[in-house]
Amino acid sequence: MTSAFQTSRFPLSYFPRTCQLSPPPPSRLSVSFPFSYSLTCQSHARFMCTPAKAAASTTPDARALQDGISEFYDQSSGLWEDIWGDHMHHGFYDPGSTVSESDHRASQIRMIEESLRFAGISEDPSKRPQRIVDVGCGIGGSSRYLARKYGAKCQGITLSPVQAGRANVLAKAEGLADKVSFQVADALKQPFPDGQFDLVWSMESGEHMPEKAKFVNELVRVAAPGGTIIIVTWCHRDLGPNEESLQPWEKKLLNRICKAYYLPEWCSTADYVKLLQSLSLQDIKAADWSQHVAPFWPAVIRSAFTWKGFTSLLRSGLKAIKGALVMPLMIEGYQKGVIKFAIITCRKPE
């Protein structure tokens, strides 16, 4: 998880710098953007996890971005867990649905199930994945769910020592310490041998990856022959046939979001597909699920402005406060069609 800054069609370099132009007409879509910015107030020293060879890119920009991401989640994960539970990602909803707060946690489980269904993961016990890697694992919600569902062994990696430590604590508390484990590691240089995992799972972590080609290559490298790769991530819109880059006003919008949320370059769903095609992956599929996540982000905003959420936000530090102030820009990006919530899946050849 490091950084790169520029926008072009392909290869992937989309971090915006400029501004201007009048915005297009808004769409009907009102969508959420998943970020655990509004979190933690107390010290998490008891959850700290020593990095296991967190081999990262070595440039100053790369290290600064990694440190920013790590600190952001070190500060924010505790409050997110307290308010939203152990799944640090969007929920999946029927378009136009009205849901209560209790439905949001169920919708996060549904996001996992819909992603598995989209990827064609078999329910046949003889074909279920037995070795899973969770790339950008948060506090391990997906890992524990998948381990229970499939009886699989799951390993998770994150840049945040607090997240890795907390994930291991929860795994032990839930009787899953023999099934799941978590460590601090760089997704661009994963500490695993080639071809180890039947299922490579990346739930809303790709947006943090500064080198999308390197990120995808690592996912493919650790996948076993015949293994499935699932990437659920935030993208910018696909470029039109006569476009070389996003428009200046779009770049300006994304640039402001990136500064608050420690995001490097953005890319489109089409760019992910091109990368997978260049590596001769099979059964490549992609979809825009923006409408299916619409109720989630407004719910996050509401939770941040409860008394509990507001006071915890104030105590959690400058990074969380900056993230909260940028929330309206995320909704604007979805409404205007600049930001897309994408799923991309494929299979590694046998």
Side-chain angles (χ1 to χ4, degrees), residues 141-340:
S142 291
S143 296
R144 291 189 297 278
Y145 183 85
L146 294 169
R148 285 196 193 93
K149 179 179 176 69
Y150 295 125
K153 297 273 189 178
C154 190
Q155 297 186 63
I157 59 172
T158 173
L159 285 178
S160 166
V162 168
Q163 286 188 336
R166 180 59 176 158
N168 281 316
V169 167
L170 290 171
K172 183 176 181 180
E174 296 175 19
L176 290 170
D178 62 330
K179 289 287 188 182
V180 297
S181 62
F182 305 92
Q183 62 180 302
V184 175
D186 184 0
L188 302 184
K189 193 172 182 181
Q190 297 181 34
F192 307 118
D194 296 355
Q196 184 166 345
F197 301 104
D198 307 315
L199 175 59
V200 177
W201 177 268
S202 173
M203 175 60 71
E204 299 186 40
S205 63
E207 52 275 5
H208 282 301
M209 308 300 170
E211 301 172 71
K212 297 296 191 286
K214 191 171 183 180
F215 169 54
V216 169
N217 270 277
E218 273 294 273
L219 300 182
V220 174
R221 181 186 68 78
V222 300
T228 298
I229 298 169
I230 298 177
I231 304 168
V232 180
T233 190
W234 320 330
C235 293
H236 69 56
R237 65 172 178 84
D238 289 345
L239 299 179
N242 298 318
E243 289 184 301
E244 292 300 321
S245 68
L246 294 174
Q247 296 186 38
W249 72 267
E250 295 173 311
K251 297 177 185 180
K252 182 180 179 181
L253 176 65
L254 294 183
N255 188 40
R256 293 173 67 188
I257 293 166
C258 289
K259 287 178 180 178
Y261 290 145
Y262 297 93
L263 303 179
E265 86 277 21
W266 293 60
C267 73
S268 69
T269 307
D271 288 321
Y272 270 111
V273 170
K274 289 177 184 177
L275 274 174
L276 297 172
Q277 289 172 337
S278 74
L279 297 171
S280 300
L281 279 300
Q282 298 176 345
D283 301 332
I284 301 169
K285 298 192 295 181
D288 177 4
W289 280 2
S290 299
Q291 289 186 334
H292 289 291
V293 299
F296 195 70
W297 191 240
V300 173
I301 294 176
R302 288 193 298 272
S303 70
F305 290 100
T306 61
W307 178 251
K308 178 181 180 180
F310 182 70
T311 55
S312 296
L313 177 63
L314 290 178
R315 290 194 300 268
S316 64
L318 183 60
K319 288 181 173 63
I321 294 170
K322 286 172 63 178
L325 293 174
V326 172
M327 292 182 205
L329 297 182
M330 295 308 311
I331 294 178
E332 180 183 352
Y334 274 113
Q335 288 176 332
K336 293 179 176 178
V338 183
I339 298 172
K340 299 292 183 180

